[in-house]
């Protein structure tokens, strides 16, 4: 099977994530996209919502898409959520699957901080999707860092619809008591309202 791996903090998941995953799945003819919320993201401050709430919101968001699935593997694993560990676990579970790691253009720009980028590229093709703010052309031109060069031919640059939506903007809207309709799926809005998240 051809499987997209979409990791993130998902604090909370939003339409930008979902639309991007859908377009990648169509363009690369993926059988599944596996959303993997990070338990403890390595390179950023602590998520605002607990791992269980973030996981529950991702489950709500993908429930009506048969191609989308959720894994709690990073939340169950102790310590920081390193992508290389996740991919190695997935590759061991089924060595015949083809893995495609989906990463936003803003994240790939920080590749020098990743753990074992070379190893990552042995487990999966890296799919760099466009995101407002960081153009794919700029990422391609990035001064050749050793980590970036080590990925070489494993990189797939894939433009997707540019939706200027971020979880941090959604959190600040909610803090300010503003509307987040059409930025976040209705089911997720219900969840975060009933648990009083991000207020
Ligand atoms: P925050 O604003 O809190 O930093 P975020 O919106 O960037 O959060 P993450 O959960 O950190 O969301 O992102 C997970 C992955 O999804 C990353 O690879 C990120 O680049 C990508 N991504 C997030 N939002 C978009 C978007 N609007 N379009 C395309 N990719 C996105």
């Amino acid at each position: 099977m051809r499987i997209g791996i979409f990791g993130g903090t998902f604090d909370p998941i939003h339409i930008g994530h979902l639309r991007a995953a859908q377009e990648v799945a169509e363009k690369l003819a993926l059988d599944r996209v596996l959303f993997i919320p990070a338990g403890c993201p390595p390179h950023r401050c602590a998520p605002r919502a607990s791992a269980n709430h973030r996981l529950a919101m991702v489950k709500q968001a993908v429930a009506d898409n048969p191609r989308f699935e959720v894994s709690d593997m990073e939340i169950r694993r102790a310590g920081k959520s390193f992508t290389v560990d996740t991919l190695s676990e997935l590759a061991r579970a089924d060595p015949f699957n083809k893995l495609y790691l989906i990463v936003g253009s803003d994240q790939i720009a920080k590749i020098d901080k990743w753990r074992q980028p070379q190893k990552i590229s042995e487990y999966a093709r890296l799919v760099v999707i466009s995101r407002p703010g960081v153009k794919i052309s700029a990422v391609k031109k990035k001064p050749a860092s050793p980590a970036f060069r080590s990925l070489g031919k494993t990189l797939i640059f894939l433009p997707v619809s540019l939706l200027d939506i971020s979880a941090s903007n959604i959190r600040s809207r909610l803090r300010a008591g503003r509307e987040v309709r059409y930025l976040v799926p209705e089911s997720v809005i219900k969840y975060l309202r009933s648990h009083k998240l991000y207020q």
Side-chain angles (χ1 to χ4, degrees):
M1 283 217 287
R2 295 162 64 81
I3 302 184
I5 309 297
F6 201 7
T9 314
F10 300 124
D11 191 22
I13 189 164
H14 52 70
I15 296 294
H17 297 125
L18 294 162
R19 182 66 206 167
Q22 177 63 27
E23 291 186 20
V24 174
E26 285 171 21
K27 288 183 180 177
L28 298 183
L30 302 180
D31 298 293
R32 286 203 278 145
V33 177
L34 191 57
F35 289 72
I36 311 184
C40 178
H43 304 300
R44 55 178 284 162
C45 54
R48 294 291 180 274
S50 72
N52 284 336
H53 279 318
R54 291 181 291 108
L55 177 68
M57 288 188 281
V58 177
K59 283 186 177 164
Q60 292 282 351
V62 306
D64 60 355
N65 188 329
R67 234 188 323 191
F68 288 178
E69 285 182 14
V70 189
S71 165
D72 63 356
M73 61 192 287
E74 289 196 355
I75 286 173
R76 274 188 287 106
R77 203 164 63 219
K80 293 198 182 245
S81 303
F82 290 109
T83 303
V84 68
D85 299 334
T86 304
L87 292 175
S88 124
E89 207 175 319
L90 289 169
R92 253 183 289 125
D94 194 339
F96 295 106
N97 284 334
K98 277 197 162 174
L99 304 181
Y100 294 83
L101 180 67
I102 304 167
V103 184
S105 52
D106 57 315
Q107 293 302 316
I108 197 82
K110 300 175 194 154
I111 190 162
D112 291 325
K113 300 204 179 102
W114 292 13
R115 177 177 276 199
Q116 296 183 290
Q118 173 66 53
K119 196 110 195 233
I120 288 179
S121 66
E122 288 167 20
Y123 292 125
R125 298 290 305 271
L126 241 97
V127 184
V128 182
I129 54 172
S130 48
R131 189 175 182 185
V134 185
K135 286 195 174 132
I136 282 193
S137 56
V139 175
K140 280 185 181 164
K141 272 193 241 133
K142 190 174 154 25
S145 71
F148 193 74
R149 262 187 284 132
S150 75
L151 296 177
K153 294 190 192 104
T154 61
L155 287 170
I156 300 171
F157 292 97
L158 209 66
V160 295
S161 298
L162 291 173
L163 300 177
D164 195 3
I165 303 173
S166 69
S168 31
N169 178 265
I170 288 161
R171 291 194 302 273
S172 61
R173 276 174 184 272
L174 288 165
R175 263 198 309 276
R178 289 166 67 202
E179 193 54 73
V180 293
R181 269 181 107 181
Y182 312 124
L183 296 172
V184 176
E186 274 302 314
S187 57
V188 174
I189 294 181
K190 275 197 193 117
Y191 185 95
L192 56 86
R193 292 228 185 281
S194 71
H195 291 86
K196 300 191 167 41
L197 301 180
Y198 310 114
Q199 289 186 355

